[in-house]
Amino acid sequence: MSFAFAVAAVFLLFFGLGVRRDRRRFGNAVLLGLAVTFLGIGLIAGIDDAPPGVAESVMVVALLVLGIGPVVLAGLLTWNGVKMVRKEGRSPGNLLSLLAGLGMFGVMALAVSAAAIQSWTLRIVVVTTLFVLGYVSFLFVCFVGYAYLYGRMRIRRDADYVVVLGSGLIGGRRVPPLLASRLDRGREVYERLAAYERRDGDAPVLVTSGGQGPDEELPESHAMADYLVARGFPPEAVVREDRSRTTEENMLFSKELMERDRPGSSCVIVTNNFHAFRAALSARRAGVNGQVVGSPTAAYFWPSATIREFVAVFLQYKVVNLGICLTLILLGALAWASR
């Protein structure tokens, strides 16, 4: 028990150092997840020393969570996926929560079949699948947990720019609700920064960042700026970055613009809450001195969007992550061949 607590303390120390160095690192999420995991192991190991009745209650709750939790989660994901398709259409990104829920039901059915058939091969397949899913699920929980913490950072007061990231337009020219949420949040951040007393005396600038897609009549940044100005935002405080097509290009081209006008400047980047942590990782890779904040998103949209964000981050570290998954699969194959 004390060993687990000691390991948790070490990981927590490294987590604190990592956050102090740069909060925009996925490694921070993993270190926090490992610290919490070993803390949980230590608590479980010491359950025998708990007052009478506590150990039994904890075991009952744990069994309920392990037994019923996956079924409930799979059902909720499937239900959310159906709702997502009805509201947003059948694009691959909108199907993610539905596929995740159906996939969980599939794994559970496979496990039941392996127990009923008594097949060695099927058992190895199930165990290997659970190990791979366990690894991916651990990273997913780390991602969601740290993204939640990152999204609750205080907004810096000394930023020179507010950069609002674009998204697709409706009908090729109108701002959709998702993007309107970002713009409203960006205006709120701008007004908060403008209210602070600045040492250089210069007012902050809001950058709308987004190029023109093949199905759009004008660059997203222009539609975004028009949306703000039509609602009373001062036009002289808006700068349009109209070349970017991806989040990475949002960062790079906005950085060029900021460095051109105010070298060494800092910024607050605004996107939707589900996208904030991945955008922070992109900002770090692009060398942007910026904090990312999120705007509200409809609850039904969050599961599929979060899964999509996690997949993108998972593949950013594909050498390590796919290497570990392939190693687990190889170990399963060796266990099957050794019989």
Side-chain angles (χ1 to χ4, degrees):
M1 177 176 66
S2 59
F3 174 75
F5 287 146
V7 175
V10 170
F11 280 124
L12 192 60
L13 174 63
F14 281 116
F15 166 73
L17 293 174
V19 170
R20 183 176 178 82
R21 180 183 176 188
D22 194 332
R23 297 178 180 181
R24 306 167 301 170
R25 297 168 60 92
F26 187 67
N28 296 337
V30 176
L31 289 171
L32 179 60
L34 289 171
V36 172
T37 298
F38 278 96
L39 177 61
I41 292 172
L43 292 173
I44 292 172
I47 198 67
D48 291 337
D49 299 328
V54 174
E56 292 77 5
S57 300
V58 171
M59 291 301 296
V60 169
V61 172
L63 290 174
L64 287 174
V65 170
L66 293 175
I68 302 176
V71 178
V72 173
L73 178 59
L76 290 174
L77 285 171
T78 303
W79 172 80
N80 174 261
V82 172
K83 184 175 182 179
M84 184 74 176
V85 170
R86 287 176 178 174
K87 286 183 171 289
E88 302 290 337
R90 298 183 180 180
S91 68
N94 295 338
L95 293 172
L96 289 176
S97 61
L98 177 62
L99 294 175
L102 294 177
M104 290 182 66
F105 279 126
V107 171
M108 286 184 274
L110 189 64
V112 171
S113 300
I117 298 173
Q118 299 292 314
S119 167
W120 170 255
T121 300
L122 197 54
R123 286 181 178 179
I124 290 295
V125 170
V126 170
V127 171
T128 303
T129 301
L130 290 177
F131 271 111
V132 173
L133 289 178
Y135 171 73
V136 175
S137 298
F138 170 76
L139 292 182
F140 181 75
V141 172
C142 292
F143 172 81
V144 173
Y146 188 71
Y148 176 84
L149 294 177
Y150 182 86
R152 274 141 188 83
M153 289 170 48
R154 291 181 59 186
I155 297 176
R156 60 189 304 170
R157 300 186 178 188
D158 59 344
D160 302 289
Y161 288 90
V162 178
V163 180
V164 183
L165 305 186
S167 64
L169 302 176
I170 296 177
R173 64 180 304 109
R174 290 189 294 114
V175 170
L178 195 75
L179 183 53
S181 173
R182 298 184 186 185
L183 291 165
D184 294 340
R185 176 67 164 145
R187 178 172 186 165
E188 175 190 326
V189 173
Y190 173 89
E191 291 173 348
R192 187 178 302 182
L193 292 177
Y196 295 138
E197 183 177 352
R198 303 171 61 81
R199 286 175 296 180
D200 56 15
D202 293 331
V205 176
L206 190 147
V207 178
T208 54
S209 178
Q212 183 172 353
D215 59 344
E216 294 174 338
E217 300 176 18
L218 74 167
E220 293 167 7
S221 61
H222 292 213
M224 294 161 68
D226 293 342
Y227 173 93
L228 290 169
V229 171
R231 286 157 180 79
F233 193 84
E236 67 276 6
V238 183
V239 174
R240 298 164 173 82
E241 181 287 296
D242 57 8
R243 295 185 294 156
S244 56
R245 299 288 186 89
T246 65
T247 299
E248 287 70 23
E249 290 184 352
N250 285 138
M251 302 300 175
L252 290 171
F253 295 149
S254 295
K255 179 185 176 183
E256 287 181 10
L257 184 153
M258 292 185 289
E259 287 295 318
R260 180 195 67 198
D261 296 338
R262 298 184 185 180
S265 59
S266 60
C267 64
V268 176
I269 301 163
V270 181
T271 183
N272 287 94
N273 49 15
F274 63 81
H275 184 234
F277 185 43
R278 183 162 76 92
L281 298 178
S282 298
R284 177 177 176 272
R285 288 197 308 275
V288 176
N289 179 17
Q291 170 194 357
V292 183
V293 300
S295 65
T297 306
Y300 76 87
F301 197 88
W302 188 87
S304 284
T306 300
I307 293 172
R308 183 176 67 245
E309 295 299 303
F310 170 72
V311 171
V313 172
F314 184 89
L315 293 178
Q316 285 177 7
Y317 304 92
K318 58 179 176 290
V319 174
V320 173
N321 290 327
L322 295 181
I324 291 175
C325 291
L326 289 174
T327 300
L328 293 172
I329 294 172
L330 179 60
L331 291 174
L334 291 175
W336 174 81
S338 65
R339 182 169 178 176

